[in-house]
Structure formats: structure tokens, C-alpha cells
Amino acid sequence: MRLRPGISWCLLLAVQPAAQASAEPFAEVVVELRINDQPGSTTLVVRRDDDGSLLLRAEDLESLRLRTPARGAVQVNGERYYRLGTEIGAVVVFDEGTQSGQVTLPPQAFVPTHRERNTPAAPLPQPSALGAFVNYDVSLERDDRHSAGGGFFELGMFGGPGVATGTMVARFEPGQRSVARLDTTWTRDFPERLATLRVGDSISTPGAWGRAVRFGGVQYGTNFSTQPSLVTTPLLAAHGEAAVPSTVDVFVNNRQVASEQVPPGPFTIDRLPVLTGAGQLQVVVTDALGRQQVVTQPYYSGTALLRPDLSEYSIEFGSLREDFGVQSFGYGDAVGSATYRRGLSDTLTAGARVEGQADGAYALGTDIAWQAGGVGIVTAHTAASVDDGATGYLAGLGLEHNGQRFNAYAHAQATSRSFRQVGLAGLEKRPRQRLFAGLGWDFARYGNLQLAYGAQTHYDADPIDTLGLSYTLTLGTFGYLGVFATHSRADDGATNLLLSWTLPLGGRQTLSAAVQQAGAPSSTDDRLGAWATLQRDLPSDSGVGYRVSVSTSDERDASVAYQGRAGTATADYAQRGGSSGLRVGATGAVAMTSAGVMTARRLDQSFAVVQVADYEGLTIYLDNQPVGRTDATGKVLVSPLRPYERNQVSVDPVEVPMDGAIDQPAIDVTPAYRSGAVVRFPVARADAATMRLVQVDGAPVPAGAQAQLGEAAMFPVAIDGLLYVEGLREPTRVHVRWQGGECSVAVRRPTGADPVPDLGTLRCR
């Protein structure tokens, strides 16, 4: 097509200034940029060089989330510009006609994105009102020769200042009776500090190389269980790159743990919780067009490691307990110790410990735990002691690896003859070397195999070592098969072989059978035996359980147990050869709270007394599992509750009688350690009743009349004078009005279990 001369000159004049402007170095132009083919564009005022390349201001780079190039800066009129080119890996296709540019950038050109997974805040424990509990476990037994009995008792008191507990044991046999105090301790938790204070009898923290001993005194240290949701091990971080806005899904061992929207560029999603042991982290990046890239990386995490921002410690001092369980107040030398560990990095945790005993040994040592890549956790510790001027040494090395299919562990420790530790000054057999090791394979449907070896040598005693093997296999509907074997160089090289089979029968019942070969090469007492057992476990609610066992060696065992709301009663019978014996026992507890005194099963953890008005027979749920029914006063004791965690206690509103309504059918309870909470569901009582109203002449009150109780809502009268009303908490007068008439009548709602009683025919005057 040819243009007329006039039009051609006009177009030439219009285009010429633009061409001249573009030829001018660093000319200022307005352009539209579209980055990485994403919908939408950005309009910017930029500079153009004489070669056609674009220059962006520093603030424009920031608005586009682009890194500042290390080179290529240009000063124009006192303002710094950066070239949008190869300096940042950009490829620009510019359209002169539309003054727009298509920009392709690699992910590395963008500013990195960092996201942290927020750990849910630990729930605050509810204030503990004053209360108490008593646990008991008593038994009586009798055989062909004598009778005996005994019991274990615990008294606990809880409240705002903490929990105080005391335990004792009692025994009696013919001609001998004894009662001994065990532990008396006051415990105060500080969840905000992750710490616990104990005053009284306690057990020391051993650390990496020490030994736990019983003592009476003061102990203060870290207690991670006061915040159960806290992850103490190093957390993972997912890394990747996105060229366009994308969705990042993170999977740990095929379980999704995070999903985030990220802009273009490198990204990091930090503080991802993981399962301990070896595993696999997968990062799936999906863009708007559904295109995916998957990055897989292995990881390893172990409980021996602490997060870099976390530490744990324990400080304790007091007196050693002596003859525990025999003497009520047997205390010895003064002892003290301090233990400290801290995570130095994601792969290294270090600690130290010092301990001492009056008129005894003093010891100081260190320990480390190091993650050796995907191999596992390597631990090492060393210590030195001084006792009566003699110096001793201890050193140990360990390795653990827990994988999905294979696991292994090994721990070796050696001590010098003169090494001493707190509480072991009078030890007769001085340990010299100790070794524990094990291997395990999970063959999926082909079973599980475990090998274990333990050996210990002494300076003044014979060595001891044992080799063990176990193999278990699932047989589907035919139950489970197990093979166990042990061999020990002690006891003349005794070897034990056991083959067992277990078949679940349903209804909490199982049938099992086993064959065992036991004996030593140098012994004539080589025993081969077999036995069969039928067992039914106790239910979570009330019910009966039993166990019956017979063997080829003339041994008979039978037991039956009943578990109720107030505890558990048991009866056991055993026959060995020509003698037999019978034992009966009972375990339970008594709880005292502001809701009154209630019997319960043994209370080893926190609990709650739940009350739903005075409704009997309502099912109470703990975390959606039925745990009991309310008694005649509408109460039930729920145990155990997890301390410092949310425990959801709920009731099914459908079960609530017609005269009541529950606006809040579920309540979260966060109790303190070994304390009892009182949970009262808010119940709006209808206090309803029905009646038939008649006038003075005996005619029914007309249908459609309105009845009112004081300032309460209006209730319509139905056919034949029938009326349903609510709010009859007290004797009151009902006023009835209709067109052309009115009357009133005094009503009283009778007491009783009927949710909607019928008051009969009433004359309205």
C-alpha cells in the first residue's frame, strides 16, 4: 500500500523526535515492564542508553524485589541508576512501538524470601485451686505355708504454690510388720522458664556420664515437659528457587508440614519440625501454570542434640538416701552436682558436669553430641575424679543411627581403677569397661530383626557379656510370630530360645502360645517347656479382664480383674508343682476438690472433675473418646489429663435432657502437673412444664391466647387449652390474655427427674 505525500510527511515529523530522543544517551522514557511472562505489568520512568539498554533507579529495583548489581552503576544528574542487563542475568526484549519490555530474570536476580513456621504458643495452665488426692495399692496373699500382705500409699496436695506428695509402704508377715516412708517432695513448675523446683526427696540428673542417685535436698533445673509443644531438637529449613510467584509445599517423610506462597527468587522456609532419626525432606514448588519442581534432600535428627538457641541445666544439693524402702529417714553424706548442656549449632551440642560428695569423690567432665551428616549422632564424654588424693579417669564414645529401614547404636566406656563417682564409694565391683551395641532391620512385610550385644568387665570380678537376637513377623489374620534367643558367657554359657505366637481374637481378647528351650552346655538341667495363654485386657471404661495360662511343667495361672469408676480389684491364683497360692488386691484413689470428694482409679497424672448440672448418665468425652458417665449428681472424674496441654472435655448435646441447653458443649482444660481441675458445663435449665387451662365455667381457654410469666416471654395456648411454659424455677402466677378476656392461675413445678412434668388441668380465674 502506498501512502499519499501529505500523510507521509506527517508521520515522518511525528516519528523523528522520538527517534532523536532514543538516540540521546541516558534519555528518560516511560516504559511498561512485564517480568517472567507474569500477568500484569509495571510502569516505570527509566533511562535508555544509546545502545538501547534500560537503566533503573535503585528504588525501582527495590520495588521489583531485584538484587542491587555489584557492577553496572551509572550516575545521571546526580542519581544512581543500574543497567537491566547481563549484570543481573536479565534478557530484555523491547518493543519500540508500545514502549514496553518483556524481561526474563533468573531466580537468583530477586531478593531472597525468608519465612518461619510459627510454633503454636504454649497454652497457659489454669490456676489450680486447693485440693488433694490419695492413691492406694493394697494386696493380701496366701500360699500353703504362710500369709502376707502390704500396701503402697500416696498423699498429695495441690494448689497455686505447687504440688506436695508423700509416699509410704507397709508390709506385714507372720511375726513381722514394717512401715517405711519413701519420698516426700514439694514440686513447683515454672512453665515460662521451662524449669522445675523440687524440695525434698528426689533423684539426681546423671548427665552424659554420671549416675542417678536418690537424695534429699533441693533440685532446680530445666523441665521441657512444662511446654510439651516445644521442639528441642534442631529444626529443618527448606531452600529453593522460584522464577515466578509460586506455592511451596514441604513434606517430611511424605507428611506435609508446611505450605507457603512465595514471590519470585530464592526462598527459605525455616523452623520446620521433624521426626527424630533419618528421613527425607521434599520441597515441591508449583507455579500458576501447574508446573512443578521437586527438590529432595535427606536429613538426620536426634534427641541428643539441642537447638542452637536452647540450653538445659540442673543444680542439686542435699544428702544421699540410704536403705531406701527400709528406713524412713536414712540420710548420709552431703552431695551436690551441676549439669549444663547447650546447642552450639544445628549439628553440635556440648555440655559439662561437676559433682561432689562430702568426705568422698569429686568429679568434673564434659560431653559433646555431633551430627555426622546422614550417618547419625556421635557422642563423646570424658571425666576426671579425685578421691583421697587418687586421680581417676573416665572416657566414653557412642554412635546412633535411626533410619526407616535400618538402625544401629553403640556405646563404649572405660574407667580407670581409681575413678570414683558420687554415691558409689562403697561399690565392691569396680567397673572397667562397658560396651553396648545393637543393629536392627525392618523388612516391611517380611518382619523385623534385632541384634544386641552387651559386655562389662570389672577390676575385681569376672566379665559378663550377653548376645541377643529377636525376630518378629506379622502373619496377617493369623497373628504375630516371634523368635527370641540369648546367649551369655556367664552362668556357664547359658542359651535360651523362645518361639512365641499371638493371635488377636477381637473384643480385647488374645490367644498366645510359646515354646522355650533353656539350659547350659555344662548343666544337666536342660529344660524344654511350652505354655498357652488366653487373655482379655481391661477396657478403657468399666469392665472385666482376665488371664488363664497352662504349661507342660505343671504350672497353672489364672487372674481376673474388675475395673470400675472407683478403682480396680484383682484376684490371682498360681500353682507351681505341689503348692498353690492366692492373692487379692485393690488399687484406686480418692480425690478432694471444690466439687466434693470422689473415688477414682489411680491418679498418677492430672485429672478433672466434670459436672453437667445434676444430669445422670451423660457420656463425657476426652479428646473425642468416651471416658465415663456422670453420676446421680451430674459429676464424673476424668483421668488422666496431659499437664500443660489442651485437653478437650466435651459432652454430646443430644444426650442432654429436654429441660436443659448447653451453649458450649466442649471446654479446653490445661491443668498443671498432678493437679485437679473442676469443669462445670454452663447449662441453661428450661424448667418447663405442661398444663391444661380452663375458665371458671370449665370451658378451655381459647386457642391463640398468650400466657406470660412475669417479664418472661409469651407462650401461646394451643387447642383445648393446652399450654407449654418455661422458666418455672419458683412458684409463680401465669397471666393469660385473649381477645375479650383474661385470667390468671398460680403454678408450681414439682421436683423430680421428669424434665417436662404435666401439671394437669388448672382453673384460670
Side-chain angles (χ1 to χ4, degrees):
M1 181 180 68
R2 299 182 61 183
L3 298 176
R4 287 179 297 175
I7 297 176
S8 301
W9 279 106
C10 292
L11 290 175
L12 180 62
L13 293 174
V15 172
Q16 186 176 4
Q20 291 175 351
S22 63
E24 179 185 349
F26 308 130
E28 192 174 60
V29 295
V30 178
V31 300
E32 284 191 3
L33 298 181
R34 186 177 180 184
I35 298 176
N36 288 357
D37 291 326
Q38 289 302 295
S41 58
T42 302
T43 303
L44 297 174
V45 178
V46 303
R47 299 278 183 175
R48 290 199 68 187
D49 203 349
D50 53 6
D51 61 359
S53 60
L54 303 180
L55 289 88
L56 276 64
R57 295 179 300 174
E59 53 265 33
D60 291 332
L61 288 177
E62 183 178 351
S63 66
L64 295 174
R65 296 186 56 258
L66 297 179
R67 292 176 180 266
T68 302
R71 56 189 178 88
V74 176
Q75 290 282 350
V76 181
N77 296 334
E79 193 170 9
R80 185 179 294 271
Y81 284 80
Y82 293 91
R83 196 175 299 276
L84 187 63
T86 57
E87 291 81 2
I88 59 174
V91 176
V92 182
V93 178
F94 194 78
D95 187 342
E96 296 284 356
T98 61
Q99 291 290 294
S100 62
Q102 294 281 351
V103 184
T104 302
L105 289 164
Q108 298 85 354
F110 294 91
V111 175
T113 301
H114 186 272
R115 301 278 176 84
E116 284 191 359
R117 298 291 297 168
N118 294 325
T119 303
L124 295 177
Q126 298 169 346
S128 296
L130 185 63
F133 59 85
V134 176
N135 284 315
Y136 62 87
D137 184 348
V138 296
S139 64
L140 292 171
E141 60 182 48
R142 180 179 179 84
D143 58 22
D144 298 337
R145 291 173 293 180
H146 68 286
S147 301
F152 170 86
F153 304 91
E154 180 183 29
L155 171 64
M157 297 185 64
F158 55 85
V163 181
T165 59
T167 56
M168 61 172 290
V169 62
R171 310 179 186 89
F172 68 88
E173 297 181 6
Q176 181 181 0
R177 296 184 180 183
S178 64
V179 176
R181 182 189 68 90
L182 299 178
D183 292 319
T184 304
T185 310
W186 172 70
T187 303
R188 174 71 182 271
D189 289 333
F190 301 92
E192 68 283 359
R193 305 178 194 172
L194 291 171
T196 294
L197 171 65
R198 295 183 181 88
V199 179
D201 299 305
S202 189
I203 299 176
S204 65
T205 302
W209 53 267
R211 291 176 179 263
V213 296
R214 290 187 176 273
F215 74 100
V218 178
Q219 182 183 56
Y220 181 78
T222 304
N223 185 0
F224 291 133
S225 65
T226 58
Q227 290 189 18
S229 61
L230 177 70
V231 180
T232 61
T233 56
L235 300 174
L236 289 182
H239 307 279
E241 295 178 343
V244 296
S246 303
T247 300
V248 178
D249 296 308
V250 184
F251 297 83
V252 175
N253 292 341
N254 298 320
R255 182 176 65 89
Q256 187 176 19
V257 297
S259 181
E260 296 282 348
Q261 301 290 330
V262 298
F267 61 83
T268 298
I269 302 176
D270 209 350
R271 303 181 67 85
L272 296 171
V274 297
L275 300 176
T276 57
Q280 192 177 72
L281 177 72
Q282 282 186 324
V283 182
V284 181
V285 183
T286 308
D287 64 16
L289 299 178
R291 296 172 296 188
Q292 287 188 338
Q293 55 173 321
V294 180
V295 179
T296 302
Q297 66 183 62
Y299 75 87
Y300 192 90
S301 178
T303 56
L305 296 175
L306 291 177
R307 279 171 21 192
D309 58 344
L310 204 60
S311 62
E312 64 175 341
Y313 60 89
S314 180
I315 302 172
E316 50 224 359
F317 59 88
S319 298
L320 284 173
R321 288 295 302 266
E322 296 179 343
D323 297 326
F324 180 79
V326 179
Q327 292 189 29
S328 297
F329 297 94
Y331 292 93
D333 292 341
V335 295
S337 64
T339 306
Y340 180 81
R341 296 178 71 242
R342 184 174 181 83
L344 304 180
S345 69
D346 285 338
T347 60
L348 182 63
T349 297
R353 172 180 171 83
V354 60
E355 63 179 25
Q357 179 176 347
D359 300 326
Y362 296 83
L364 173 66
T366 60
D367 62 273
I368 63 169
W370 172 58
Q371 178 186 329
V375 175
I377 305 295
V378 177
T379 59
H381 57 267
T382 181
S385 70
V386 177
D387 185 22
D388 291 335
T391 303
Y393 302 95
L394 173 147
L397 185 66
L399 171 67
E400 71 166 42
H401 175 86
N402 292 319
Q404 297 181 356
R405 295 296 184 187
F406 172 75
N407 61 79
Y409 70 91
H411 182 269
Q413 180 176 289
T415 58
S416 65
R417 179 182 287 272
S418 55
F419 183 79
R420 300 290 186 271
Q421 288 180 271
V422 167
L424 300 179
L427 192 66
E428 295 182 359
K429 296 181 180 180
R430 295 290 178 186
R432 185 173 185 173
Q433 294 177 345
R434 181 183 303 163
L435 172 64
F436 297 100
L439 300 172
W441 292 269
D442 184 0
F443 301 115
R445 61 191 183 97
Y446 297 107
N448 185 285
L449 177 66
Q450 301 285 334
L451 291 174
Y453 176 75
Q456 182 164 319
T457 61
H458 302 83
Y459 283 100
D460 303 308
D462 295 332
I464 301 173
D465 68 343
T466 301
L467 177 66
L469 177 146
S470 67
Y471 175 76
T472 57
L473 177 65
T474 301
L475 304 176
T477 57
F478 296 99
Y480 310 92
L481 184 68
V483 180
F484 309 91
T486 60
H487 175 76
S488 175
R489 285 196 299 181
D491 300 329
D492 298 326
T495 300
N496 293 304
L497 298 174
L498 175 67
L499 175 65
S500 67
W501 170 70
T502 303
L503 176 65
L505 301 177
R508 311 190 316 274
Q509 294 187 107
T510 57
L511 175 65
S512 60
V515 178
Q516 183 177 25
Q517 171 73 41
S522 60
S523 174
T524 58
D525 187 15
D526 194 6
R527 299 181 302 275
L528 175 64
W531 63 89
T533 302
L534 177 64
Q535 179 173 326
R536 183 181 186 185
D537 298 328
L538 286 169
S540 58
D541 201 355
S542 299
V544 176
Y546 59 82
R547 180 178 181 274
V548 179
S549 178
V550 295
S551 73
T552 58
S553 57
D554 195 22
E555 295 181 359
R556 307 288 187 271
D557 293 282
S559 65
V560 61
Y562 172 75
Q563 179 174 266
R565 182 179 296 172
T568 304
T570 60
D572 302 278
Y573 173 80
Q575 179 181 324
R576 301 288 187 273
S579 62
S580 61
L582 177 66
R583 178 175 59 196
V584 295
T587 62
V590 178
M592 291 150 278
T593 64
S594 60
V597 179
M598 297 187 68
T599 57
R601 301 169 193 167
R602 184 174 177 83
L603 299 174
D604 290 322
Q605 299 185 41
S606 304
F607 64 93
V609 176
V610 180
Q611 184 172 18
V612 189
D614 57 357
Y615 297 137
E616 182 179 6
L618 300 187
T619 304
I620 302 299
Y621 298 83
L622 176 61
D623 294 329
N624 298 321
Q625 297 296 320
V627 291
R629 292 181 176 273
T630 55
D631 61 14
T633 62
K635 302 174 187 175
V636 63
L637 191 145
V638 177
S639 173
L641 300 185
R642 302 178 304 278
Y644 306 110
E645 291 188 62
R646 288 188 178 93
N647 301 261
Q648 187 186 74
V649 179
S650 58
V651 61
D652 188 354
V654 176
E655 293 187 1
V656 178
M658 293 177 58
D659 71 330
I662 296 182
D663 295 332
Q664 187 180 1
I667 297 177
D668 288 339
V669 184
T670 306
Y673 170 70
R674 297 203 73 180
S675 64
V678 177
V679 181
R680 292 186 172 93
F681 280 89
V683 177
R685 303 294 289 263
D687 294 321
T690 59
M691 64 196 78
R692 179 175 179 268
L693 298 181
V694 298
Q695 302 178 54
V696 176
D697 58 1
V701 171
Q706 297 292 320
Q708 185 176 17
L709 282 72
E711 300 297 328
M714 306 292 287
F715 299 93
V717 177
I719 297 176
D720 198 31
L722 297 179
L723 175 65
Y724 168 86
V725 296
E726 295 179 351
L728 295 178
R729 296 175 181 83
E730 299 176 354
T732 187
R733 180 167 289 275
V734 178
H735 299 275
V736 186
R737 294 180 178 87
W738 65 92
Q739 186 173 3
E742 63 177 303
C743 66
S744 65
V745 60
V747 296
R748 176 192 295 269
R749 186 177 185 273
T751 60
D754 191 348
V756 187
D758 183 26
L759 306 185
T761 300
L762 303 179
R763 192 174 298 274
C764 186
R765 300 182 182 276

